[in-house]
Amino acid sequence: MRIIASMMLLPGVVLTVLYIKAGSTATAAGDDVVFAWLNVWIAGPILLLFAVPMLFSNAPVGRDRKFRGAPIGRATVESVRRTGLTVNDNPQLELRVQVDTADGASFASTTRLILGLTELGAMKPGLVLPVRYLPGQPDRGVAVVRDASPQEVQAALNAIQLAKGEITPLQHEIGTRGVDAQAVVMSMVPTGEIRDGKSVLDLAVRITRPDGGTFDIRQDRPVLPKVVDQMQPGKILQVRFLPSDETDFVIISALN
């Protein structure tokens, strides 16, 4: 969009000069004022006043520059709407999100994305995205993280979960320093308890160490309802644990 806007800038200036010249000439000649300024060169002012500024303001590079190096938060999508703008037939969406931060705070904000038609189905309420935000300035929106490594994003999300009480200090340490492994779900029984909107499961898993040995852990674990099916007996989970303390583990999953 930035390139398109730059390419439209010069024609817009030229057409605007011709528009002013034609309107002034016709007015001086005594033509009707309204029709004098409704001439064929009116496309110039329209380009300069509306099309070019809109494209520049919505260009990802320009819009996201202010977020470079800003803290990473966790955004949960609350609503999705089309803005009416398209680029190469790909629609722009405006997302209203609730953002959680590493200091335990939350705030509502918005962000805009241009997505391919094949991606539209995934963009719906409940989706979780890593975003950069400007502390104390929720009105300036947020930007989906594009410039951070997976390790930086994961570290930020771990800190947010710890601040929100979603994981324990031990689980935070496991997520930061643990060893990756695979686990098999041995049993899963819903306890009937609901904790912070999550179903609490009596979950038993068998974890395979990197050296091939195994050990079992059984505990009550709250999980989102949409991932309960992934906890069925026999399912294989990607997990992380501390070799020095095999009493707990964390489940590693893709962030949508």
Side-chain angles (χ1 to χ4, degrees), residues 64-149:
D64 293 350
R65 182 178 293 116
K66 63 185 178 184
F67 294 102
R68 284 182 186 167
I72 294 176
R74 182 184 65 186
T76 302
V77 177
E78 295 187 333
S79 66
V80 181
R81 76 171 184 89
R82 293 198 183 196
T83 65
L85 177 68
T86 60
V87 177
N88 295 329
D89 295 326
N90 296 321
Q92 183 189 63
L93 304 180
E94 181 177 86
L95 313 180
R96 293 196 61 83
V97 297
Q98 187 71 20
V99 182
D100 298 317
T101 66
D103 59 4
S106 298
F107 63 89
S109 192
T110 60
T111 188
R112 290 184 175 186
L113 288 173
I114 294 175
L115 294 179
L117 296 176
T118 58
E119 302 173 296
L120 291 181
M123 195 58 62
K124 53 189 177 182
L127 189 72
V128 178
L129 301 168
V131 297
R132 290 197 185 276
Y133 66 95
L134 302 176
Q137 303 179 64
D139 57 315
R140 298 192 66 183
V142 297
V144 175
V145 173
R146 306 175 189 274
D147 59 345
S149 67

Side-chain angles (χ1 to χ4, degrees), residues 173-223:
E173 185 180 3
I174 294 172
T176 304
R177 302 194 301 107
V179 174
D180 290 339
Q182 287 188 324
V184 176
V185 178
M186 305 301 291
S187 67
M188 184 276 288
V189 180
T191 65
E193 180 186 354
I194 298 175
R195 192 181 303 167
D196 296 326
K198 298 178 181 180
S199 304
V200 179
L201 308 178
D202 178 0
L203 187 67
V205 300
R206 178 162 295 167
I207 298 176
T208 300
R209 304 184 186 93
D211 63 5
T214 63
F215 63 97
D216 295 345
I217 296 179
R218 181 172 182 172
Q219 61 181 211
D220 288 350
R221 179 166 293 243
V223 301

Side-chain angles (χ1 to χ4, degrees), residues 2-3 11 17 57 80 84 96 149 161 186 192 210 228 233 251 256:
R2 200 170 214 19
I3 296 174
V17 171
S57 66
V80 181
R96 293 196 61 83
S149 67
Q161 287 185 298
M186 305 301 291
V228 170
I251 299 171
N256 307 125

